[in-house]
Amino acid sequence: MTREDIERVLEELSALKCKTRKEVEEARVRFLGKKGEVTALFEEFRTIDKELKKEFGKTLNELKQKAQATIDSLRDSISDDAGAEGPAVDLSMPGESLDLGSRHPVSIVREEIVQIFRKFGFDVAEGPEIEDDYHVFEALNFPPNHPARDMQDTFFVSSGHPNPLLLRTHTSSVQVRTMEKEDVPIRVICPGRVFRNEAISARAHCIFHQVEGLYIDKNVSFADLKQIILLFAREMFGPQTQIRMRPSYFPFTEPSAEVDVSCNICHGKGCNVCKGTGWLEILGCGMVDPNVLKASGIDPDKYSGYAFGMGLERIAMLKWRVNDLRHYFENDMKFLSEFKTSTEV
Ligand code: DAH
């Protein structure tokens, strides 16, 4: 080992130039690898005389540090996209999208309805899906032989009992539970799942969702009912929306009505969605029958009230012009992802 050997390696290091990461790696191997020039000098150092060791020890260590520092600074000076096998990171690659889920259209509509009625001072009430005959039928003034009480229309959980358990066929049962629990005035909406023994088709399903509304106080009139439905319809379907009420019958309301909204597709001119009528049916409603108030311990001579009920799938179908109810239950990702951004707030 001579001073010149060390000088030569130092010079080589000073002259070193690398353009790519691959070249830096090659330089590292050339100087500091197992068979590298610096490594070789260290090997040689082990075999030389003690005297020479004294002379070269420090310089050799300095050489190694210099070699390491040179390689490190060359590596640092090379930008990320100058690797030998192409850029380390390809900034032109599209990002990986995170596939977020979306809310179900029925949930979106339920939330919208809840928000609308909250503004009008309604609270949300809930009740059990497995109910008894009393809360679904009897307290709502259904006569004993009403066809809804038939196995053909209702799923019974137990039978052979004066008050059998069943899957509620409407959320009107929550009216009864609320009237039993709460003091008047009552102003609630009751969203929930209901069940009917129906053949599944584009227009009917055995499971669906309803929102029930109930307002009881002194001097509640049919005009109040009409006003709240009009306000709701305009919030839901737009400020131009008109409503019309048709006389109807429900055991739990008297008088009763069905409500149509003006078709928001043809604006009353007539189209295939409204079957040429210009109107779309959205809900049933009426003044709470005195028998219903009485059954839940409310004095019909002091208080009156209105009630209404609507199907969520029906409202969602009108809102998004979906023509087959079954889409709502099949969890087809293509269908569900249609609702990603529509009313996400
Ligand atoms: N319960 C009715 C149904 O399932 C809907 C309904 C109609 C609810 C009129 C009401 C009402 O509260 O007043 O078809």
Side-chain angles (χ1 to χ4, degrees):
M1 178 176 309
T2 61
R3 264 206 182 277
E4 284 73 47
D5 289 337
I6 295 175
E7 296 284 315
R8 184 185 42 80
V9 178
L10 271 172
E11 270 170 35
E12 282 175 18
L13 276 171
S14 308
L16 200 57
K17 283 203 174 73
C18 297
K19 285 202 196 92
T20 65
R21 286 176 179 280
K22 196 171 169 217
E23 283 174 15
V24 175
E25 179 57 11
E26 281 164 5
R28 190 194 63 79
V29 172
R30 179 175 147 207
F31 290 98
L32 295 166
K34 262 193 191 155
K35 293 181 186 154
E37 294 186 35
V38 177
T39 320
L41 287 174
F42 269 87
E43 290 290 313
E44 205 183 327
F45 180 77
R46 289 205 294 170
T47 62
I48 58 177
D49 288 350
K50 253 196 180 166
E51 276 308 298
L52 283 176
K53 274 196 177 146
K54 265 193 196 154
E55 191 186 334
F56 287 117
K58 199 171 161 233
T59 342
L60 212 50
N61 270 330
E62 280 167 5
L63 173 69
K64 188 173 177 185
Q65 278 165 13
K66 162 98 178 157
Q68 190 63 59
T70 308
I71 304 281
D72 286 349
S73 87
L74 283 168
R75 188 183 291 124
D76 289 347
S77 69
I78 285 167
S79 68
D80 271 352
D81 51 14
E85 304 85 19
V89 179
D90 182 354
L91 297 176
S92 66
M93 291 269 284
E96 265 177 49
S97 69
L98 285 176
D99 215 2
L100 285 181
S102 55
R103 285 195 299 155
H104 192 280
V106 172
S107 300
I108 296 173
V109 165
R110 183 190 52 203
E111 199 46 41
E112 215 175 314
I113 295 173
V114 167
Q115 291 308 331
I116 293 171
F117 281 103
R118 269 196 200 286
K119 277 201 278 190
F120 302 145
F122 284 73
D123 285 330
V124 172
E126 283 181 349
E129 290 178 349
I130 301 177
E131 258 294 4
D132 53 21
D133 179 279
Y134 177 79
H135 289 91
V136 174
F137 299 126
E138 195 178 329
L140 287 164
N141 203 34
F142 279 78
N145 299 319
H146 193 282
R149 286 178 139 139
D150 195 344
M151 301 280 273
Q152 306 282 303
D153 293 293
T154 301
F155 291 115
F156 284 87
V157 176
S158 68
S159 55
H161 188 275
N163 185 22
L165 287 180
L166 43 87
L167 300 184
R168 67 181 179 196
T169 56
H170 54 180
T171 43
S172 305
S173 54
V174 188
Q175 276 191 26
V176 179
R177 292 207 172 260
T178 308
M179 288 190 286
E180 285 171 350
K181 267 201 320 249
E182 309 275 326
D183 292 332
V184 183
I186 293 171
R187 204 193 309 238
V188 288
I189 54 164
C190 325
R193 193 157 58 154
V194 300
F195 308 84
R196 283 185 201 173
N197 195 355
E198 299 245 14
I200 295 171
S201 72
R203 312 222 121 243
H205 208 285
C206 56
I207 302 174
F208 54 102
H209 299 80
Q210 289 186 329
V211 172
E212 183 79 16
L214 177 70
Y215 176 37
I216 299 175
D217 204 344
K218 286 191 174 132
N219 302 320
V220 177
S221 71
F222 202 92
D224 297 323
L225 170 63
K226 193 172 170 192
Q227 185 63 20
I228 201 82
I229 301 291
L230 178 66
L231 290 174
F232 163 71
R234 292 194 167 162
E235 290 271 338
M236 192 74 207
F237 298 105
Q240 314 303 328
T241 309
Q242 301 289 326
I243 62 165
R244 73 173 183 188
M245 295 180 123
R246 289 176 285 107
S248 185
Y249 171 79
F250 300 103
F252 34 89
T253 43
E254 183 60 36
S256 305
E258 272 167 324
V259 177
D260 301 335
V261 289
S262 50
C263 179
N264 58 351
I265 298 169
C266 63
H267 302 289
K269 288 191 199 83
C271 67
N272 58 355
V273 174
C274 61
K275 301 204 184 77
T277 63
W279 295 96
L280 299 159
E281 186 189 324
I282 58 156
L283 55 77
C285 62
M287 299 307 291
V288 180
D289 193 290
N291 287 342
V292 172
L293 294 175
K294 240 185 280 167
S296 295
I298 294 172
D299 183 352
D301 294 326
K302 263 169 110 179
Y303 297 106
S304 57
Y306 62 66
F308 55 86
M310 66 188 107
L312 284 183
E313 283 79 3
R314 168 116 188 120
I315 304 281
M317 280 170 101
L318 298 179
K319 186 175 165 69
W320 287 297
R321 293 160 209 177
V322 174
N323 58 6
D324 192 325
L325 193 64
R326 288 168 292 196
H327 287 308
Y328 290 119
F329 302 96
E330 284 167 359
N331 287 331
D332 177 344
M333 295 291 283
K334 264 195 254 158
F335 174 74
L336 294 179
S337 61
E338 291 284 310
F339 301 90
K340 261 201 174 136
T341 50
S342 39
T343 44
E344 291 305 45
V345 272

